[in-house]
Amino acid sequence: MDIEDLDTFVAVADAGGISTAARRLGVSKSIVSRRLFRIEAELGTQLLARTTRGAALTEAGLTFRDHAARASAEIDTARESIRPTGGLRGRLRVAMPLSIGPTHFAPALAEMAHRHPHLHIQSCYSDRFVDLIAEGFDCALRVGYLADSNLIAKRIVTIHGTLVASPDYIKTHGSPQTPDEIAAHEALMQGTEAWQFLDGDAVVTVQPQGRFKADNALALAAASAAGLGIAFLPDCITHGYVASGALVPIMTHYPPPPAGAFVVRPPGLHPARKIRVLIDTLVDHCGRNPAIWGLTGQERKGTKP
């Protein structure tokens, strides 16, 4: 039984349909269908019941899916054990944030593709948190403060944030001097998040309020530059605005705790070599390009004495 056929069956089972699996695998629906036919012919039983909404696993398919996934994982592990170096092969499917993925991380993916011409890389850019297992991703890059989960995370780079507002907003409304004063200001947010600031060694948490929300940090930066309110954003988003004077750092005596960019992957004892290579490539790329994170090499100021 071909390992590629097994991988395809697992992809269809997890995606819930041939069309979705074909997009994730980067092949045509006809190829996926042929591979499924070969597996069912080999086993002499039906694994998938085709429906108008996709494909549902039969009882035999449910049983076989777990065996197929384990077999594929074992083959990948065996390949890496006898070929721990050299060019990567297969497919790497990674989710990245839309706000900074295309500008800050995509060049590292291109570099990885140049180094490994037999590796197929599929990247998906969205600011929502994807379900790695259900949506068939090998890993994802997430920015900010990681919530507790069963995912395994590796920090790529430390990211600093700043509270900012436009000169026009400050002229009209003033700017908060302490975290307690944020409640009196129009906050630009992604949802109902809390904002955290450092008061010496203590962390102060506030619940901002505002009428303008967006699920994209670039949109919030633009809204803040337009004078709609104050925004709590990473320096890699705002440093261009700050350099031009369109945004001004405010309440700098209470800096936010450092956040980060992380590669997260499903739980497992050993990450696939392609994920380890991705992490190394991203770490190297971020280290060689500090300016894209809003870092100048100077000591960050603003800590309250």
Side-chain angles (χ1 to χ4, degrees):
M1 190 173 294
D2 193 296
I3 188 64
E4 206 167 45
D5 293 350
L6 286 178
D7 289 339
T8 299
F9 166 70
V10 173
V12 173
D14 292 346
I18 291 175
S19 297
T20 304
R23 286 195 299 271
R24 293 180 184 177
L25 294 170
V27 298
S28 67
K29 291 189 292 183
S30 61
I31 290 177
V32 171
S33 296
R34 283 199 298 272
R35 291 174 181 174
L36 292 175
F37 176 80
R38 285 198 297 263
I39 288 182
E40 290 181 329
E42 175 74 19
L43 295 173
T45 187
Q46 184 178 6
L47 301 176
L48 291 158
R50 281 69 167 177
T51 68
T52 55
R53 296 184 178 181
L57 291 173
T58 62
E59 184 177 353
L62 284 169
T63 301
F64 187 68
R65 186 264 170 215
D66 292 338
H67 290 290
R70 284 197 297 271
S72 294
E74 288 293 336
I75 290 295
D76 287 341
T77 302
R79 284 173 173 167
E80 290 187 3
S81 67
I82 62 175
R83 193 179 57 200
T85 59
L88 295 171
R89 294 178 178 271
R91 176 180 61 95
L92 173 65
R93 193 161 189 265
V94 55
M96 292 197 170
L98 178 61
S99 299
I100 60 175
T103 52
H104 290 62
F105 299 128
L109 289 182
E111 181 180 333
M112 190 173 173
H114 275 299
R115 292 179 179 175
H116 302 277
H118 297 292
L119 179 68
H120 296 261
I121 299 178
Q122 298 176 4
S123 52
C124 176
Y125 296 91
S126 172
D127 284 332
R128 70 179 180 87
F129 276 17
V130 301
D131 186 323
L132 297 185
I133 297 175
E135 298 183 48
F137 287 99
D138 296 295
C139 61
L141 225 141
R142 291 181 179 167
V143 175
Y145 306 102
L146 287 186
D148 291 337
S149 74
N150 66 339
L151 298 176
I152 297 175
K154 174 66 176 179
R155 183 186 291 267
I156 297 301
V157 66
T158 298
I159 296 178
H160 296 279
T162 307
L163 195 65
V164 293
S166 71
D168 287 344
Y169 180 90
I170 295 172
K171 182 179 179 180
T172 304
H173 304 282
S175 63
Q177 301 302 307
T178 67
D180 289 341
E181 296 180 14
I182 289 177
H185 286 267
E186 187 71 24
L188 310 178
M189 301 176 291
Q190 292 196 15
T192 57
E193 70 269 18
W195 291 354
Q196 291 185 330
F197 303 92
L198 294 176
D199 184 1
D201 293 329
V203 177
V204 180
T205 302
V206 299
Q207 296 289 339
Q209 301 295 321
R211 65 184 179 86
F212 187 93
K213 297 182 180 181
D215 64 355
N216 183 280
L218 294 174
L220 294 177
S224 186
L228 288 181
I230 62 176
F232 176 38
L233 295 167
D235 291 354
C236 58
I237 295 292
T238 61
H239 72 280
Y241 287 95
V242 172
S244 69
L247 288 175
V248 178
I250 58 177
M251 210 179 76
T252 55
H253 290 306
Y254 297 86
F262 305 85
V263 170
V264 298
R265 63 177 176 86
L269 292 178
H270 304 289
R273 180 170 164 247
K274 59 188 175 183
I275 297 178
R276 297 198 303 269
V277 171
L278 172 64
I279 290 172
D280 291 343
T281 304
L282 287 167
V283 169
D284 179 67
H285 171 74
C286 293
R288 287 187 284 107
N289 298 277
I292 64 175
W293 303 104
L295 304 177
T296 63
Q298 300 176 351
E299 183 178 357
R300 291 177 61 82
K301 301 178 180 180
T303 302
K304 185 181 178 182

